[in-house]
Amino acid sequence: LQLFGTLVWILVAATRIPLPLLQGWVMFVAVTSWFLSIVFLCVFLFGYANRIAVNWNQTDFLFHGTTFVCYFGAFLLQAATTSLHHFPRKFNSTAQEKILSDHEYNISIAASV
């Protein structure tokens, strides 16, 4: 989870952000999931799991279930942003600048996957 969260974080951060609200959620999910995964890893590596009276199986299930739902929502928002690739940035302008360049479009596809 740390590897994929870091990869999404890097790919989304590498693009120009045409829709900050949508891609802000993607970054929030990637960074928060990455951070909480590191916290869980440290809890188990340093032996705090034995000292804290929590049902760790249920906690792990809830964490991964919540992470799945948040990542699925982030995927939908990132894919929606990617699908706007062919629309012009400004509708009233004579210049036909796209929302995402071809390179950013490819990075956005990778971040969606």
Side-chain angles (χ1 to χ4, degrees):
L1 191 59
Q2 286 88 3
L3 177 67
F4 290 121
T6 304
L7 185 62
V8 170
W9 189 0
I10 291 168
L11 289 171
V12 173
T15 63
R16 203 171 36 169
I17 300 179
L19 303 169
L21 184 62
L22 298 180
Q23 290 179 305
W25 174 252
V26 174
M27 287 297 288
F28 172 76
V29 169
V31 171
T32 304
S33 297
W34 182 84
F35 178 73
L36 289 176
S37 294
I38 295 295
V39 168
F40 273 125
L41 181 66
C42 289
V43 164
F44 285 105
L45 282 179
F46 295 123
Y48 293 123
N50 298 330
R51 299 179 192 171
I52 303 172
V54 173
N55 184 350
W56 288 106
N57 290 330
Q58 184 179 17
T59 304
D60 186 51
F61 179 78
L62 289 173
F63 171 72
H64 284 93
T66 304
T67 302
F68 170 76
V69 170
C70 290
Y71 261 117
F72 189 73
F75 155 73
L76 292 176
L77 293 174
Q78 185 67 30
T81 302
T82 304
S83 69
L84 300 175
H85 164 65
H86 298 294
F87 288 108
R89 181 174 287 279
K90 296 177 184 174
F91 287 106
N92 296 333
S93 175
T94 57
Q96 293 298 323
E97 181 184 355
K98 295 179 183 176
I99 288 179
L100 295 172
S101 69
D102 290 335
H103 179 69
E104 290 170 338
Y105 176 70
N106 294 333
I107 291 174
S108 190
I109 288 173
S112 295
V113 171

